[in-house]
Amino acid sequence: MTASGSIQVPRGLAGVVVTETALGDVRGREGFYHYREYSAVELAEARTFEDVWHLMVIGRLPPAAESEAFAARVAALRRLPDTVAAALPAIVRAGSGAGAGLMAGLRTTLSLTGAAAGFRPVFDLDPEQRRTDALLACAVTPTLLAALYRLGHGLDPVEPREDLGHAANYLYMLTGQEAAPEHARAIEQYLISTIDHGFNASTFTARVIASTGADVAACLAGAVGALSGPLHGGAPSRALDSLDAIGTPERIEPWVRERVLAGDRIMGFGHPVYRTEDPRSRMLRGIAQRFGGPLVEFAVEVERQVEAILAELKPHRELHTNVEFYAGVVMEQCGLPREMFTPTFAVARVVGWAANILEQAADTKIIRPAARYVGPPPPARLP
Ligand SMILES: CC(C)(COP(=O)(O)OP(=O)(O)OC[C@H]1O[C@@H](n2cnc3c(N)ncnc32)[C@H](O)[C@@H]1OP(=O)(O)O)[C@@H](O)C(=O)NCCC(=O)NCCS
């Protein structure tokens, strides 16, 4: 407690409980996380993306009949509003189509979609109306990203198909070709495993904005901004770039040692919460190994050596691969371009944000913490 009556909390709010949630949790010491009452990894192993979406946003796993109806309902929401589709070429020309611009493009076009679809402040909506807006925003996110990507590369956008699952349709809209079923399933499993993950920075951002009563698109655009940072969602392509830069097994040791000693971080390693193996990393390693090949063999060797070097150089901190290390490998194996790695993370996480926005919107208390003033003592005489 400070003199002004405020409460001091650790840097980065680490470990501070700021609200209650029924959406899930991360048990960092055990290496376990769950969506509502189910293990997230088991969901990724056994269910469709749409089923888990239903679990998060509607509140329970759908029985078979409802599962099909929900999948059809969200598939029918994939098309962009005409005015948004018409605006995309200009948005891409202005710099939001390729590379890092894709996340900027997503922020812009999610905002635009919300405005075009008439989203209103969650404060003014009943729970069903909020949910309708949230489902639409999640359903169009892959369409927006695929269209931005293609336009950025001089290609025409591909219309969504309603007969494909969420992941398969996403891959189809990116390439114009139906993906191999094993690739579509691997990406679907990756997407399920990244829907939600505790009070990470982007989820917290979405909830802060939702607590102001703003509309769903405003909450999501803010969350996309948080996710675009390299310390959060911006690492999977960087992790793979590191594998390329290392190149061969004998270069792992000197490359990593030199960087860690220079104070750099090795991308794809370390996690704010996990102090043991990240369960998502374990699952994705399994998927990558299902495909096999030199890339995954090299990645496994890099993981082994980097963990050993970090254990030696950072003995005070357990450091293992995080979700992004093998996510990059799996996405590469499934033919996703690297610039789509972080956007693909957003395709999944938008569902988690949506669930969090709906939960937060039910609470009318605005999130409004305080900061300790450390500048020159006021009031200073005006110059
Ligand atoms: C994810 C991440 C931001 C978590 O950070 P954090 O929990 O706040 O960790 P801290 O900043 O407290 O770091 C603790 C110690 O571990 C070290 N460390 C953490 N991650 C490291 C990494 N990837 N490589 C080398 N050292 C690392 C830090 O340098 C620090 O060492 P010090 O105490 O000697 O200064 C961090 O691990 C990181 O930057 N990883 C690389 C980027 C990445 O993969 N991001 C994706 C996240 S899912």
Side-chain angles (χ1 to χ4, degrees):
M1 192 79 77
T2 64
S4 62
S6 330
I7 300 154
Q8 298 272 31
V9 295
R11 267 183 85 214
L13 298 182
V16 176
V17 173
V18 294
T19 192
E20 294 187 336
T21 181
L23 294 173
D25 196 15
V26 181
R27 297 198 203 146
R29 293 193 183 282
E30 289 166 50
F32 172 77
Y33 73 117
H34 57 105
Y35 299 161
R36 299 197 184 268
E37 64 271 47
Y38 303 107
S39 151
V41 168
E42 282 181 25
L43 286 167
E45 277 162 358
R47 302 300 288 245
T48 63
F49 185 83
E50 287 88 334
D51 277 359
V52 184
W53 184 353
H54 188 284
L55 170 71
M56 297 304 278
V57 171
I58 310 290
R60 59 194 150 72
L61 269 181
E66 275 178 53
S67 163
E68 270 178 40
F70 181 76
R73 178 180 174 192
V74 289
L77 300 174
R78 286 174 185 158
R79 279 183 57 93
L80 302 180
D82 289 344
T83 49
V84 175
L88 291 182
I91 291 171
V92 169
R93 275 197 306 279
S96 287
L102 277 162
M103 293 298 274
L106 181 60
R107 288 199 294 273
T108 307
T109 54
L110 271 175
S111 291
L112 201 58
T113 302
F119 285 13
R120 287 169 34 225
V122 292
F123 187 77
D124 296 330
L125 301 179
D126 67 33
E128 195 45 48
Q129 291 170 316
R130 290 175 192 149
R131 198 176 289 150
T132 303
D133 288 356
L135 290 180
L136 176 76
C138 296
V140 299
T141 293
T143 316
L144 291 170
L145 283 168
L148 289 167
Y149 169 77
R150 289 184 65 90
L151 286 165
H153 290 273
L155 300 165
D156 286 332
V158 171
E159 287 290 312
R161 271 175 48 185
E162 290 185 31
D163 60 320
L164 296 174
H166 195 68
N169 175 61
Y170 172 53
L171 295 176
Y172 167 73
M173 288 188 300
L174 273 176
T175 63
Q177 312 280 330
E178 263 188 58
E182 60 274 20
H183 286 167
R185 180 60 187 153
I187 294 301
E188 179 172 44
Q189 290 181 295
Y190 163 65
L191 292 177
I192 296 170
S193 74
T194 33
I195 284 179
D196 194 45
H197 204 248
F199 248 60
N200 56 82
S202 59
T203 298
F204 189 36
T205 304
R207 290 188 75 128
V208 170
I209 302 175
S211 85
T212 72
D215 70 67
V216 167
C219 305
L220 293 176
V224 172
L227 184 69
S228 67
L231 297 189
H232 188 4
S237 56
R238 291 171 187 239
L240 216 50
D241 293 342
S242 300
L243 291 183
D244 284 350
I246 298 169
T248 54
E250 59 283 1
R251 278 174 43 94
I252 302 172
E253 165 88 28
W255 193 93
V256 173
R257 204 170 272 282
E258 188 184 315
R259 268 158 193 80
V260 177
L261 288 174
D264 291 349
R265 290 177 180 217
I266 308 301
M267 289 293 146
F269 289 80
H271 193 271
V273 180
Y274 287 121
R275 294 295 170 266
T276 176
E277 191 179 29
D278 182 334
R280 303 167 299 177
S281 170
R282 189 184 321 125
M283 187 195 80
L284 291 164
R285 188 200 303 116
I287 294 174
Q289 285 175 325
R290 209 158 75 198
F291 293 125
L295 176 63
V296 62
E297 281 168 26
F298 183 53
V300 168
E301 183 56 23
V302 169
E303 176 184 29
R304 192 182 66 78
Q305 292 199 31
V306 172
E307 285 193 354
I309 296 166
L310 289 173
E312 179 199 323
L313 298 179
K314 303 273 176 189
H316 50 291
R317 183 63 178 259
E318 279 258 0
L319 292 164
H320 303 276
T321 50
N322 58 47
V323 61
E324 309 217 345
F325 187 75
Y326 284 106
V329 175
V330 168
M331 285 193 265
E332 179 104 336
Q333 288 172 317
C334 293
L336 272 173
R338 282 187 202 193
E339 68 188 282
M340 290 310 292
F341 286 7
T342 299
T344 302
F345 192 162
V347 166
R349 190 51 66 85
V350 71
V351 170
W353 295 328
N356 274 278
I357 291 163
L358 297 177
E359 191 176 61
Q360 186 67 45
D363 181 348
T364 52
K365 178 80 179 159
I366 192 167
I367 298 175
R368 205 299 191 186
R372 185 160 46 95
Y373 177 72
V374 294
R381 189 193 293 267
L382 282 179

